[in-house]
Amino acid sequence: MMQTIDLRGIQPTRAAFARLVPRPVVDVQAAMAVAARLIDDVRERGAAALAEQAEQFDGGAPATVRVPQAEIDAAVENLPADVRAALDEAIARVRQATAAQVPPPAETRIGPGATIVQRWQPVERAGLYVPGGKAVYPSSVVMNAVPAQVAGVASVALASPPQREFGGAVHPTILGAAGLLGIDEVYAMGGAGAIGALAWGVDELGLEPVQVITGPGNIYVAAAKRVVRGQAGIDSEAGTTEILVIADAAADARYVAADLVSQAEHDEAAASVLVTDSPEFAERVAAELDRLASATKHSERVRTALAAPQSAIVLVDDLAAAAAFSNAYGPEHLEIQTEHPDAVLDDIENAGAVFLGAHSPVSLGDYLAGSNHVLPTGGQARFSSGLGAYSFLRPQQIIRYDRDALGEVAGRIVALSTAEDLPAHGDAVTVRFSG
């Protein structure tokens, strides 16, 4: 079902592995032209463009793009008891873990009368994107909203695609999760157009532009976030999901196969990758994959994802090479299921989130670990982080010098400004000591 890539005997350099990692045929760059066109249409025609895009790509045009408060309240009331309890628990756990991501202000005393204060200032307004499509993601409401709230963001707008099953309305479970979190500004809009609407605003909807846009989505949502970057900040390009499992012969093939299938059920474009130093273990996983893929509810989707170019079983010489391959890949989700997982972790640099040991599956992080499941994809974990309170915070330095402290360094400022042929810089200091 899955292709096998044999990298045994290959020098495990990052450059060599980077050329060999399995990737989707269509990447974010290829989707940017379409995303830019849809965003431009929303900027020019506003709500009319959003309605047409909803008809074309989502579940039909909603009766009202902004969801009335009464619908949100009703959705909260109608949440099944077990779902509400699970959401409440997820909110509490994510809030607890996210609190550690807000640094306290710090003051550095450079000298007498000379201080630098480092503070972390939240953005005033944020846009949260919760995907629709093949599944419903109330967990993504939690993962987006809780970090914004912990960071202290004052104003939040949430966008989610209209659903055909609900007459073009936002899925009620999404609305229920939003209501539990106190979010009252929800829009039935999806895809690239929604990202553009959040970035530039839509006057006729009363939608004000946001400063930061966060949340996962398909490849067009990821491309749209790349398009709007500069007009608004983004968390990362959290596109179609991916999992990379590093496992050795000591791992349980059933567990590994189940985890690979769990991510493949998201989307036909999902990436499931196993990296192992044991060909025999690889064969056991392949057999389990075939069995599980046949038995699971979304069998056709899973089989398509596992057979696609972005999924593979990768054979390497040893676990050091497995870690090197993973670093070159930069996976969204990295599982380490080996006899000594902490030893492998020591060699890991690039990953959105790391799941250690046999009993820390990605599904745990998707819902109730307390970690955040909005993570960079497509190799962007090599330079981007997952969503957190820090995604909504800006570090600011506050400089306070008194006259004596400035006088202490005045001569050196003049020396440097002269060396740079910017004498007015020096004059701005010396004028304070003349006359």
Side-chain angles (χ1 to χ4, degrees), residues 12 46 72 75 97 99 103 142-143 148 156 167 169 180 188 194 214 255 272 302 346 351 358 365 377 421:
I72 299 174
V142 176
M143 300 296 175
V156 166
L180 286 178
T214 69
Y255 296 175
S272 294
V302 167
D346 288 342
T377 61
D421 193 24

Side-chain angles (χ1 to χ4, degrees), residues 148-192:
Q149 292 174 344
V150 170
V153 176
S155 175
V156 166
L158 187 148
S160 190
Q163 303 291 311
R164 181 164 287 107
E165 182 183 354
F166 298 97
V170 172
H171 196 289
T173 312
I174 299 292
L175 294 180
L180 286 178
L181 286 155
I183 298 172
D184 58 9
E185 188 180 351
V186 180
Y187 297 90
M189 57 186 188

Side-chain angles (χ1 to χ4, degrees), residues 93-393:
R93 288 176 176 240
V94 175
R95 198 178 298 281
Q96 181 182 355
T98 304
Q101 299 170 348
V102 181
E107 180 175 307
T108 304
R109 190 169 183 265
I110 305 295
T115 62
I116 303 291
V117 173
Q118 178 76 62
R119 72 174 185 178
W120 297 79
Q121 199 74 352
V123 298
E124 191 275 331
R125 181 163 164 79
L128 316 179
Y129 187 82
V130 176
K134 296 180 175 68
V136 54
Y137 296 102
S139 58
S140 286
V141 180
V142 176
M143 300 296 175
N144 275 273
V146 170
Q149 292 174 344
V150 170
V153 176
S155 175
V156 166
L158 187 148
S160 190
Q163 303 291 311
R164 181 164 287 107
E165 182 183 354
F166 298 97
V170 172
H171 196 289
T173 312
I174 299 292
L175 294 180
L180 286 178
L181 286 155
I183 298 172
D184 58 9
E185 188 180 351
V186 180
Y187 297 90
M189 57 186 188
I195 301 301
L198 291 171
W200 276 278
V202 180
D203 289 342
E204 63 201 283
L205 298 177
L207 172 57
E208 295 289 331
V210 303
Q211 291 162 274
V212 171
I213 299 172
T214 69
N218 62 20
I219 192 170
Y220 294 101
V221 170
K225 289 169 77 174
R226 188 179 294 185
V227 170
V228 305
R229 182 184 289 175
Q231 170 65 19
I234 66 169
D235 51 345
S236 64
E237 293 177 11
T240 308
T241 193
E242 56 198 30
I243 179 175
L244 187 149
V245 182
I246 296 176
D248 60 13
D252 190 313
R254 297 171 303 156
Y255 296 175
V256 171
D259 295 350
L260 294 171
V261 168
S262 75
Q263 296 307 295
E265 79 171 339
H266 274 285
D267 193 279
E268 290 84 353
S272 294
V273 179
L274 167 63
V275 184
T276 183
D277 61 349
S278 169
E280 295 76 19
F281 179 76
E283 290 179 8
R284 294 201 301 274
V285 171
E288 289 291 336
L289 283 172
D290 191 55
R291 181 181 65 82
L292 291 175
S294 298
T296 194
K297 176 180 179 180
H298 303 294
S299 178
E300 185 175 347
R301 186 188 308 164
V302 167
R303 285 188 172 278
T304 299
L306 294 178
Q310 71 271 8
S311 297
I313 294 174
V314 179
L315 300 177
V316 292
D317 289 315
D318 50 38
L319 293 179
F325 180 89
S326 179
N327 285 329
Y329 187 101
E332 176 190 20
H333 306 102
L334 169 62
E335 288 188 358
I336 302 176
Q337 297 191 41
T338 60
E339 186 174 6
H340 303 291
D342 288 285
V344 178
L345 179 63
D346 288 342
D347 291 332
I348 295 300
E349 299 171 6
N350 307 324
V354 183
F355 298 80
L356 284 186
H359 300 289
S360 302
V362 168
S363 297
L364 173 66
D366 283 341
Y367 300 116
L368 282 167
S371 58
N372 203 293
H373 78 202
V374 181
L375 302 166
T377 61
Q380 300 220 10
R382 294 174 295 115
F383 48 81
S384 295
S385 66
L387 183 64
Y390 41 74
S391 304
F392 303 95
L393 294 169

